[in-house]
Amino acid sequence: MSKKPGNNATRKGASASGPSAKGNAATPRRGKGSSANALSTPAKVVIIIFAVLMVVSLMMPTLSTAFSNSQQAEQGNSQDASSDGGSGSDSSSNSSDASSAEASPTTGVAAVDAKYQGTVSELESKLASDGTNLATLLNLGRNYMRWGASVRAASSAEDDVAHGNDLLEKAIGYYERYLGLKDSDAVRVDIALCKLYEGETSEAQSDLETLTQNSPTYAPAWANLGMIQEYSGNADAAKASYQAAIDSDPNDEYGAKSYATQRIAALESSSSSAAPSSPATSTTPSSSGETGAKGLTDTLNNLSGTGL
């Protein structure tokens, strides 16, 4: 019995020391409580991911602005590069314009020379390998004739007149070489026209008069003779020659009939027309308003048979 109270006392002591024990026990319980409430690894991962997403979402406006600024900067650089490229193009264009301005196109006699020189050189090289080629001789005569007549029409300067006449003489030379191989009324008409463009009007008229006597049915000879007579101021003789051209070319095969008919009408409608300027040095129309020597060449494109 005496021991029971001791035991009770011990228990009471234990009970008395309860607060301390409780305090000691509280810590483990709190520790146990933390341990019991600790998150599992998957839950932690989910929270971390969520936190990251939250941070990113908060940063999005800033990132968006930064990205936008970056794009604008890149676009600006691109535009600058394009502008530089454009400036380069403009510079190139300006350079081309400058070059064009420096290398201004040739005019007058220089332009005429440039037009024919290459063709004539090529034909002469071809003739060098075959000196009896009729087609080449004919083409050389034709090109030199056009070249010389164009030079004479482009300038009346003394040197240019001499240059034009030299070209026309070369044409006559090639035509005569052709005649040495084959006779042709068409080539004879061309020779007369070369003399006309040289200013040798009387000689040209004489050649055509001879040709019309030897070949009275060759209409181009009559048409060209009438043209020279008209420019010489002999309207009656011109009308007679034009009529002969009409009679010799009833089907207008050469175009002589059309041209001659036109010229007769022009002469008859102008009873007091002044004598036109020399066709060798001018291509101005006659007082009737129609074209003259140059016009004959243009109107009767193949009148002489050599493609004039």
Side-chain angles (χ1 to χ4, degrees):
M1 295 298 294
S2 61
K3 288 181 182 180
K4 287 180 183 179
N7 290 337
N8 290 335
T10 301
R11 282 195 294 272
K12 286 179 183 178
S15 177
S17 61
S20 176
K22 282 181 183 176
N24 292 337
T27 301
R29 273 200 300 272
R30 281 195 294 271
K32 285 180 182 179
S34 293
S35 176
N37 295 328
L39 296 173
S40 63
T41 299
K44 289 179 180 180
V45 170
V46 170
I47 291 174
I48 291 170
I49 292 173
F50 180 75
V52 170
L53 290 175
M54 286 293 292
V55 172
V56 170
S57 67
L58 291 172
M59 292 178 64
M60 278 300 291
T62 304
L63 292 174
S64 176
T65 302
F67 182 71
S68 176
N69 291 337
S70 176
Q71 278 189 321
Q72 289 176 357
E74 289 178 1
Q75 288 175 356
N77 292 336
S78 251
Q79 288 173 354
D80 291 342
S82 296
S83 296
D84 293 340
S87 298
S89 298
D90 290 340
S91 298
S92 175
S93 177
N94 291 336
S95 296
S96 299
D97 291 341
S99 294
S100 297
E102 291 175 1
S104 56
T106 56
T107 57
V109 174
V112 174
D113 289 346
K115 177 180 179 180
Y116 288 97
Q117 186 63 67
T119 300
V120 165
S121 296
E122 184 178 345
L123 287 169
E124 287 179 332
S125 296
K126 185 176 180 180
L127 187 66
S129 61
D130 184 3
T132 60
N133 189 301
L134 292 174
T136 304
L137 287 168
L138 198 60
N139 280 325
L140 277 167
R142 178 185 63 186
N143 278 281
Y144 268 114
M145 179 182 178
R146 287 177 169 177
W147 187 358
S150 297
V151 167
R152 287 297 307 265
S155 173
S156 59
E158 185 176 350
D159 289 346
D160 293 331
V161 169
H163 174 43
N165 288 346
D166 286 342
L167 296 169
L168 290 165
E169 282 299 315
K170 287 184 178 181
I172 292 173
Y174 284 118
Y175 281 141
E176 288 179 341
R177 285 177 63 177
Y178 182 97
L179 291 175
L181 299 170
K182 181 181 179 180
D183 192 34
S184 169
D185 288 340
V187 170
R188 293 184 187 282
V189 168
D190 279 355
I191 290 175
L193 288 174
C194 284
K195 293 177 180 180
L196 174 68
Y197 291 130
E198 283 183 291
E200 302 295 337
T201 307
S202 296
E203 191 174 346
Q205 181 172 329
S206 178
D207 286 355
L208 288 172
E209 287 172 344
T210 300
L211 181 56
T212 55
Q213 291 171 7
N214 296 332
S215 301
T217 60
Y218 188 59
W222 285 111
N224 280 281
L225 177 59
M227 177 265 297
I228 292 177
Q229 291 167 331
E230 181 183 349
Y231 267 85
S232 298
N234 193 341
D236 291 337
K239 285 192 285 186
S241 294
Y242 286 142
Q243 187 59 55
I246 293 171
D247 296 339
S248 302
D249 190 23
N251 298 320
D252 210 19
E253 178 183 357
Y254 294 100
K257 178 180 180 180
S258 296
Y259 179 82
T261 300
Q262 179 188 44
R263 296 311 309 147
I264 289 175
L267 288 170
E268 289 179 345
S269 68
S270 179
S271 57
S272 60
S273 60
S277 59
S278 170
T281 58
S282 173
T283 59
T284 54
S286 64
S287 58
S288 63
E290 303 292 343
T291 54
K294 185 68 166 58
L296 178 62
T297 298
D298 292 339
T299 303
L300 306 179
N301 189 34
N302 293 306
L303 175 64
S304 65
T306 60
L308 286 174

